[in-house]
Amino acid sequence: MHNFKKLKIWDESMLLVSESYKLTRTLPEFEAYGLTSQMNRCAVSIPSNISEGSSKSSDKHFNKYLEDSLGSAFEWETQLNIAYNKRYLSKEKFNELEQKIKQIQKMISGFQSGLKL
């Protein structure tokens, strides 16, 4: 078992949740039940799966939750691209957030590689 609050991947993904909520507050109102909701659910899913998986009794079971977390990270990246393509955010903000999500994806993958499966 791992203490999720001591995991850098959890810390970084919690910061992404804040960034996601900050970004989605700027999206058009008509996106409230679409892109806004989906982006925030995905962002929340990343650290949620890390914390839930950390309670499992084996690294094999934890890895399944890390896979789900990684999937949500890729899904969030896709939604970020959609938001950018719709011109809901600047190129600079897009680049900043894209770099953050890619870093989280690498961190999760790297953490998975260190597990004893």
Side-chain angles (χ1 to χ4, degrees):
M1 289 180 40
H2 301 267
N3 182 344
F4 67 89
K5 290 182 182 178
K6 292 184 178 181
L7 297 175
K8 188 160 176 62
I9 56 173
W10 184 80
D11 283 336
E12 292 298 319
S13 59
M14 288 294 286
L15 292 173
L16 184 75
V17 171
S18 296
E19 289 287 336
S20 184
Y21 274 88
K22 199 180 306 179
L23 169 64
T24 58
R25 278 194 290 273
T26 69
L27 298 182
E29 205 171 296
F30 65 83
E31 289 287 5
Y33 299 105
L35 193 56
T36 296
S37 175
Q38 190 64 26
M39 283 188 87
N40 289 332
R41 282 197 324 259
C42 279
V44 167
S45 179
I46 300 168
S48 296
N49 276 299
I50 293 167
S51 60
E52 186 176 358
S54 72
S55 72
K56 300 306 173 189
S57 59
S58 73
D59 282 352
K60 182 179 179 181
H61 288 110
F62 188 13
N63 189 57
K64 195 289 187 211
Y65 287 87
L66 290 171
E67 285 177 3
D68 292 344
S69 182
L70 186 58
S72 292
F74 279 103
E75 187 177 352
W76 193 88
E77 183 184 2
T78 297
Q79 293 156 4
L80 178 66
N81 277 274
I82 292 167
Y84 178 68
N85 290 340
K86 292 288 191 180
R87 296 190 174 104
Y88 294 157
L89 67 157
S90 68
K91 178 72 170 166
E92 295 76 27
K93 191 64 176 176
F94 170 77
N95 288 338
E96 174 192 332
L97 292 173
E98 183 182 45
Q99 183 180 2
K100 285 183 182 186
I101 194 63
K102 286 184 178 294
Q103 182 62 30
I104 289 169
Q105 292 163 354
K106 287 178 189 173
M107 290 171 68
I108 294 169
S109 293
F111 190 83
Q112 285 180 293
S113 297
L115 293 177
K116 297 173 184 156
L117 303 178

